[in-house]
Amino acid sequence: MSPTETAEPLIVPPDWFAAVGTEIAVVLEDLRRDHPGLADAAAGLLAADGGSRSPFRLLGMAVLGTLTGEPRPAATVCAVSRLWWAGAEALDDLADGQGPAAPRGRSELARTTLAAVACGSTLPQWVIDRHSTAPDIRLAWEQELVRTALDALEGQLADIAEPADDAVTWRSVMACYRGKSGAAYGRDAAMAARLATDRPETVRSWRTFGELFGVLRQLGNDGVPSPAQEFEDLANGTRTLLLAHALEVAAPAHRKHLLRLRARVGTDPGARAELRAALRDPSVLDGYGRRVESLRQHCCAVLDRLAPDGTYRELLHGMIHTSAKAVPNGVSA
């Protein structure tokens, strides 16, 4: 295990959460003056957001700390991120009909939808507009918001599409993951980096790092679902990298069998159980773990090129390793 491959628990400074919470509180207070109903709906959505205390939502502060030694100015970036994720995850719950943001009636459906749209688009823009940073930085941030919105929408559309069997490949699912999760983390890293530099190539490199990290976050999410969530994903036909890997390494006859199972999982609990068991076979998981380890090493290598040393760089390495460790039977540190 190299010095950057820590097995210690991931710990971020607690005052980072407080700084982001203050940013959010100020935004909601301003909103409540003229739009009290929307402020209450957005506050409810934020309260239901299970990721609000996730250290990974503080990626922007870790990136800026790595670049300048002073992470606090990126609390605004993390406030944008928290708002965006609250909206995105609520819309995902609405689409699935599951999760804490899934409404119970028509009125609540409308309220949740409107709050999710506000958190995912309008309120992040408002956070940027009211920030006292230089106009060129605000413009760059606005461009990152637009880029992320388009990439994330494309990723979600790809996720719910009904692809041909031969389209469930490692490459196609990776592209989907880059949109679903990679785009948002790429935005956070690029926005934070823009506070420290105006060099386009440096900002692009940090965006690339964030996108890779976001893919690992999605892999971590894939790897530790509850049994109910795992069966729900199978029933919904969700394309995962684990499924893509299993199909790619299977012998032709077994691949056809897996595809037949996948075609039946929506209505056949037995097919779901059999497909889950096939995906959890050690011969599948071992190869999958090696591919995830390769992604982890690549993400670490990008980070090491961007940040040769520093305490906050080690925090970023910890975020990478924690995400990769969640992958089932992975071989990562």
Side-chain angles (χ1 to χ4, degrees), residues 169-311:
T169 64
W170 186 272
R171 184 172 183 176
S172 68
V173 179
M174 274 289 291
C176 179
Y177 279 25
R178 280 182 179 271
K180 284 180 14 175
S181 292
Y185 286 105
R187 171 204 62 210
D188 295 352
M191 286 177 66
R194 187 60 184 80
L195 283 169
T197 179
D198 60 359
R199 297 181 61 190
E201 62 274 20
T202 303
V203 174
R204 281 196 301 270
S205 295
W206 277 105
R207 186 187 302 115
T208 297
F209 164 76
E211 289 173 350
L212 289 169
F213 175 73
V215 169
L216 287 174
R217 290 302 311 139
Q218 184 63 46
L219 288 170
N221 183 65
D222 290 348
V224 289
S226 66
Q229 177 65 43
E230 187 170 23
F231 272 80
E232 178 193 331
D233 287 345
L234 287 171
N236 290 339
T238 301
R239 289 182 295 161
T240 64
L241 278 176
L242 178 56
L243 174 63
H245 171 74
L247 290 172
E248 287 187 359
V249 300
H254 186 52
R255 183 177 187 277
K256 289 180 180 179
H257 178 63
L258 293 178
L259 290 173
R260 285 194 296 269
L261 289 175
R262 184 170 182 266
R264 292 161 37 208
V265 290
T267 57
D268 185 345
R272 282 199 294 277
E274 186 176 349
L275 181 57
R276 180 187 184 276
L279 296 179
R280 297 285 167 165
D281 186 275
S283 65
V284 173
L285 290 179
D286 286 348
Y288 177 66
R290 286 191 293 271
R291 295 178 87 166
V292 173
E293 169 65 2
S294 179
L295 289 173
R296 184 194 69 83
Q297 290 181 359
H298 180 40
C299 191
C300 286
V302 172
L303 174 59
D304 288 340
R305 287 196 298 271
L306 290 168
D309 53 40
T311 300

